[in-house]
Amino acid sequence: MPSPFKTIGVLGRSHDADFASALAAMLEMLGARGHQVIVEDRLRSGLPDDVSYSFAERSEIGGKADLAIVIGGDGSLLSAARTLARHEVPVLGVNRGRLGFLTDINPDQLLHAIPLILDGQYESESRFLLDACVIRNHEVVAKADALNDVVVNSGTSAQMIEYELYINDLFVYRQRADGLIVSTPTGSTAYSLSGGGPIMHPSLDAVVLVPMFPHALSSRPIVVDGNSDIRIDILPRNRIHPPVTCDGQTNITARPGDSVLIKKKPHRLTLLHPVGHSFYASCRDKLRWSAALVD
């Protein structure tokens, strides 16, 4: 039976010799199987010139590939996902980072797990992303997207910002805090978790809002419908220009009087996993659940 994936895009961020060895093993395996391979142009350095694969910019790979394989940590996949989602190309992650909630295939599983997936033996799941834009004087002045979270924060240690929160144009509260984390279920095991937010199963169609060090003992995270329109008004009396950060990688600077609008992105990301993948098993492994009970 022919593979459902004829053209494979290979992406990532080169950090060390271990990455180079994983990349070389990946390319050799894909070539031996007869796949057409497109390698992200930034990985060209260190690869031989006499090769059977081609090179392209990340923005071009999504429109050409049937499958994108990202080698790196979760940060690498987050960065790639924001570009690839609009092309609706499925993504597979090979972990070269620390946690690996999104990149769940370890390098020592590469030559066994990936051929099975390429032959159609996989599980897929759909993750939604967020669109964020900054409104100033009724005009959009900046926009970005996120798979994990959008964070509005003071950007300065020991300073708070004052903002008002609206959900579907309904007033929720006015608050003084270091900021607010707006997280998808995908991001609930990332920054949101460290801020006291709940762990959310990736299949949930919901968004969690986690206040950062709020100046109120009663302020707690709240979970809202994933299709909600979320608006954060930065009150004019603030003296600082709060950054709006998407996935910890893209920064927009807001000003007092601006509004930050956050809503679900129309494009979704499809992640592929080996057969038998379990979110709960990932939590046990990455978050060390039940570790104290193991003999």
Side-chain angles (χ1 to χ4, degrees), residues 6 34 36 49 58 64 101 110 126 130 152 182 192 196 208 220 226 232 234 241 250 260-261 266-267 270 285:
K6 180 180 178 181
Q36 181 179 348
D49 294 329
R58 173 175 295 184
K64 298 178 179 179
F101 267 103
L110 187 153
S126 179
L130 298 174
V152 180
V182 180
S192 171
V208 61
R220 293 291 184 266
I232 303 166
I234 312 299
H241 291 193
T250 304
V260 181
L261 302 183
H267 306 292
T270 298
D285 179 33

Side-chain angles (χ1 to χ4, degrees), residues 87-225:
H87 298 286
E88 300 183 352
V89 56
V91 177
L92 175 65
V94 176
N95 186 28
R96 290 301 317 161
R98 289 170 293 181
L99 283 178
F101 267 103
L102 300 174
T103 52
D104 53 3
I105 296 179
N106 293 322
D108 57 358
Q109 302 171 318
L110 187 153
L111 298 181
H112 170 71
I114 292 184
L116 293 177
I117 291 173
L118 295 176
D119 288 337
Q121 300 181 49
Y122 59 82
E123 297 180 2
S124 66
E125 60 177 351
S126 179
R127 307 282 185 99
F128 70 86
L129 296 87
L130 298 174
D131 271 330
C133 63
V134 175
I135 306 294
R136 183 176 303 148
N137 298 324
H138 307 291
E139 294 185 359
V140 176
V141 295
K143 60 175 58 179
D145 50 8
L147 176 60
N148 264 0
D149 48 46
V150 178
V151 181
V152 180
N153 64 95
S154 66
T156 305
S157 177
Q159 284 201 42
M160 291 185 171
I161 58 173
E162 189 170 2
Y163 59 86
E164 291 183 345
L165 173 66
Y166 293 81
I167 298 176
N168 297 329
D169 289 327
L170 296 175
F171 177 70
V172 180
Y173 55 60
R174 176 179 293 182
Q175 186 160 248
R176 294 183 70 242
D178 281 10
L180 183 68
I181 303 169
V182 180
S183 172
T184 67
T186 299
S188 71
T189 53
Y191 194 28
S192 171
L193 181 63
S194 69
I199 293 176
M200 303 167 68
H201 192 278
S203 64
L204 289 175
D205 189 0
V207 173
V208 61
L209 297 94
V210 182
M212 302 169 62
F213 299 100
H215 198 245
L217 295 176
S218 60
S219 183
R220 293 291 184 266
I222 59 174
V223 178
V224 300
D225 185 270

Side-chain angles (χ1 to χ4, degrees), residues 27-28 36-39 47-48 50-55:
L27 295 177
E28 182 179 358
Q36 181 179 348
V37 180
I38 307 173
V39 180
L47 291 175
D50 184 17
V51 294
S52 58
Y53 40 84
S54 59
F55 294 93

